[in-house]
Every structure is written in structure tokens, then in C-alpha cells.
Amino acid sequence: MKNLKLKLSFIAILISFVGMSQQSFDATVVGIINVGQQDYSVLNKNGTTKFYKTTLYSSGELYYNQSVVLSVNNETFLVTANTLTSNTYASIINTSNSSTNASLSSITLPTIENGILFFEDSQHYDDTYDLLESYINGGAIDQMLDNLENSIIGYTSYRTWFNNTYNWLEGEFSSEEIEYLSKLEFVNDEITKTLLNKDRFIGMGDTIYQYQAQNVFIKFSKYNTEAKSYLASLPFGTDISTKKLGIGDSLAFKIESLTFTYPDGSTIKSTNVVVEDSLRYVSRVYTNNVNCSVEQKMIKINVEEDLYADTTYNYDSTSYTIDWLTNDYWYLSNSNSNATLTIDWGDNTTQTINNYTGQWITHSYPSGSVGVYYHPETTLTFDDAKGDSQQLEDGTNVSGGEAISFFVNYACANAEIELWDEQDNGNWKMTTKVWVYKGILGSSKIGSYTHAWKASGNGWSRHKADIWCKVNGTFRDDNCISQSTKTGSKYRHLFKKVQKTKSKLFKWYDISNGDINSSHFMIKGNLTLQLSSVINPC
């Protein structure tokens, strides 16, 4: 009986094994992408909308419209074809699965005030963005976002404004016009373009932000109607200086020199407080690399002046007590502070700057010091609003101060960057973009898109094709040390547009040459277009 059970068990295992080996199906080569001396292919499971991407194989071993067999091999598939000379495998290309997509009813939208979407904080923004990223997988990206926008009464997004103003979705364009408009829109992510209103305003808490131009945001109080009207009237793409605009509390700033408290309460770098005569002065120390320099580093100190308030206000049936109210975000540049900044750079070099007003101070560390940490210390003396002298100190060995350190490493940059490209064969065109987005509104993001076009009349119009994009990124801190990597891809069967973004929770990061790159392909019949892009900021 025991031997009989063993035999039956063996037969069952054998049947299972044979059954597994028979889990194979026919597929067709629908696209070939060349990478140097090798290719990889896109395969379509016959009679379905499932697509697979192969591993690399020697160029020419598979050809368009060739029949192959895919057999289950753990979580991948073995590709069988008499033209292949080595083992080649395939994995399914992720396409949307409507059962896992967020529905419109599952998305808790922000409030709307005067045509602007208001989020509670950056976390609320990130949560909404993540749900929308899942939601748009359910169909064509513009159709899905139109459905969302139509559910918000009294709201017009920047995406809709741009599309309608330039007939960007339905129009016919020359190659030069496509390139011009692709770069003009400068907000590349369709979800972000939908959450910005037609004037590129978005609200968080009691603050409004305007995405004024690439690398330029403006923030102001939502109660400052003068600022809102003025900024809405500015020509599209206006780049404003980093100085006060003279319209209440409105501030313009460059992203690479941003100095303000985040809506979620976090701040950049240090706080060191002096309190006297109902005044409080807060020092904030900012450090950065000189873009694309290995040895050059920068320090900037901003002083914020606060007034003692001790007031209580009610919001949503809850009482809040405020001890201090900010009177001036930019005390050094807006007063006769008679400030002197002394910096011990940590390499036996000391620098004194008289009449300091909050500007960046640059220092070059010794050449050949790659891999060395330096720990600067700062001393700032200034006159307060009453004419009394105050002193604020920061540095690693300063009691109550924030540790400051520089690491001489790679050449990095920290601005928003985008890279646009195109390829066509005279009848079909593929346009692509890869970008880096700094996390003013929420998490930092990298992204890429692929758009399909067909020749029509005297130009090009959008048309459906099989399209794919992939983005890879390395995130570095302000010492250019790698902190994290992200990668993501998305494929669409017979779509006009596809995009993929990946987020990183910390807001600020630097990138070095080659850190951000993307791959793209478009397949139509026996035509395959492919492009790869690499962002090299330095």
C-alpha cells in the first residue's frame, strides 16, 4: 500500500510537471528595438491585447511578424524560435488593469475657492496625486482627466487651458510647432497640469502658489487679492526676479535658491532663535553645491523676524493659540541691519562679509579633496529693529546651532530640467520628453512621456499607436551622495499618449550626469521608432 501511494504521488507530480510544461502559447513579433549589437522585441500574445518584452538577443535573430512560442518559466516566459541562438526570455509589459484602478468616486478632491484647488498640505496633495495616477490607468489620459475636471464645478485647469488655447490635442502642426509647443507648456506631467488652475495657481492651507515658469514659483496669502489679480494678468511664461514684488506678502523665488517654510511645517536646514523685547529672530542656514562644480560650495543665511502675538483664533470649531507671527521673511535684505557674516569654512579659511544681506556666499575647497568632509561654522551679527546688536551662530560644534557639512564628491545640479526629442520616418512621428520636477507642491518627481503622431495634410496630428516609455532616476542629497533610485515604465496599446512618473518623498535632491534617463518606443504595423534620452546637467 505504501509503495502504491508513492507511485500515485509520483504520477501526480509527473502530471503536474507535464501540465506546467504545456503552459505555452503562440505570439507574434510586433516590434524590434535595436540596442547596439543586440535587439529586444515586443511580442503580442495571439488573439489578445497582452504584450511581452524580451531580453536582449543578437541583432537580426527575430524579425517583424515572426511567430514564436512562449512557455511558462517561473515568473518569466521562455521564447522559442528556430532563429534564436541562445536562451531568450520575456516578461509581460504592464498594462492597465481596471480592477485595480482607482475610481473617480474613491478620490477625495480638494476644496475649490475662486477657481483654485486648495489642499490641506503637501501630504494631501501627494495622496491625491497617487490616486489620480492609478485612476488614469483606466483609459486615455486626457479623457480620464477630463472626466475628473468635469466633476469640479467652476474649475478650469492649466491642462485644459493650454489644450484649448493651442488646439493641442486635435490640431495639425508642423514639426517646428510641435517642438515649440512641447517646450512652451513647461509643466510636463498631465496630472500636475490638471491640479493647477488656468493661471497655474494651486492652494495649500492659506497659501497660494503660482507655477510661473520653469524653476520659478511664487507664493502669497490667499487673502491677498491684489497679488492674485496681478499675477493672473502677467503674460504666460513670465520669469519674475527673486525680489519682493511690492504686492503685500507675495514672494517670487528661484527653485535653486528657495528660502521659505514649507506648508507642512518643515523647514530647510536650521533654526536658531534670539528673543528680546517681544522680537524673535530665526536664522536659517542654507547650503548647496555650485551647479556642476565638484569643489565649489555655497552658504546662505536668511533671518526671519517674528513678533510676539499670544493670540487665539478659532477654525473648524477648534481653538488655536499663536505665540509668534512672522513680520518679515527677509529681515536682512529689507532693513538697515548692518549685518556682518563670518564663515569658518573648515579648511583653515575664514571669510568675513560686511553689509551682508542674505546672498549666497561661494567657497572653493582645495582641488584633489574628493571624498573629504568639511564642517563650516557661521557667526552672524546684526542690528535688530530696535537698534540693538544680536548674534546668531550655527555649525557642528555650536551649541543650539544646526550642524553644517559639505562633502566634496561628484559634480551635481539641482534645477528643474527637461529634455525633449523626436523621431519620424516621414509618415509617423514619435515625440518624447524626460524631466525632473522639484517638490514644491509635494514629493519630488521624475517622469517621461511618449506621444504618437501621423502625417496629415501639411503637418502632423495625434494618432493611436502602441507606445511605451520608461524612466530611471538616481536621487542625491545636497552633498551629491546617492540616496535612492527609482524606475518605472508604462505601455499602452493603440493610444496617443503615455506617461510615467516616479516620486521621491524628500523634497530636494541633486542630480549628476546620467542620473536621469528614459527609453521610448512606438510601434505601428511593421514600423518601430525608438529613442533614449539622458539628462546631463553638468
Side-chain angles (χ1 to χ4, degrees), residues 261-426:
T261 301
Y262 283 116
D264 62 1
S266 63
T267 59
I268 307 173
K269 282 299 182 182
S270 69
T271 47
N272 193 331
V273 178
V274 170
V275 178
E276 184 174 318
D277 297 327
S278 299
L279 290 174
R280 182 174 76 171
Y281 292 91
V282 183
S283 72
R284 307 194 189 282
V285 181
Y286 305 89
T287 61
N288 214 332
N289 302 293
V290 172
N291 274 352
C292 301
S293 172
V294 175
E295 291 89 6
Q296 286 187 304
K297 308 293 181 179
M298 299 188 294
I299 286 179
K300 176 173 72 172
I301 296 182
N302 179 50
V303 174
E304 176 186 307
E305 181 185 73
D306 299 336
L307 301 179
Y308 187 66
D310 192 22
T311 60
T312 301
Y313 73 99
N314 295 314
Y315 179 76
D316 197 20
S317 302
T318 304
S319 295
Y320 297 88
T321 300
I322 300 178
D323 292 328
W324 296 92
L325 289 174
T326 299
N327 183 54
D328 193 344
Y329 285 104
W330 312 89
Y331 179 74
L332 295 182
S333 60
N334 293 329
S335 64
N336 296 319
S337 58
N338 192 32
T340 298
L341 174 64
T342 300
I343 305 174
D344 180 346
W345 290 100
D347 62 348
N348 298 318
T349 301
T350 300
Q351 184 177 1
T352 299
I353 302 93
N354 296 317
N355 299 315
Y356 181 70
T357 57
Q359 69 272 27
W360 285 102
I361 305 299
T362 302
H363 179 70
S364 294
Y365 283 102
S367 60
S369 58
V370 173
V372 177
Y373 277 95
Y374 294 96
H375 303 284
E377 296 181 2
T378 64
T379 301
L380 179 71
T381 59
F382 63 96
D383 294 338
D384 65 20
K386 297 181 178 294
D388 298 327
S389 180
Q390 304 291 351
Q391 181 169 292
L392 296 168
E393 296 179 303
D394 286 285
T396 302
N397 300 315
V398 176
S399 177
E402 179 77 10
I404 308 171
S405 65
F406 287 121
F407 181 57
V408 180
N409 197 9
Y410 301 101
C412 280
N414 70 345
E416 287 191 344
I417 302 173
E418 63 179 42
L419 183 61
W420 181 88
D421 206 349
E422 66 174 343
Q423 187 181 69
D424 71 71
N425 74 338

Side-chain angles (χ1 to χ4, degrees), residues 150-166:
N150 291 336
S151 71
I152 308 174
I153 299 174
Y155 180 71
T156 301
S157 71
Y158 169 62
R159 180 184 62 89
T160 295
W161 175 87
F162 192 94
N163 291 342
N164 291 344
T165 299
Y166 299 100

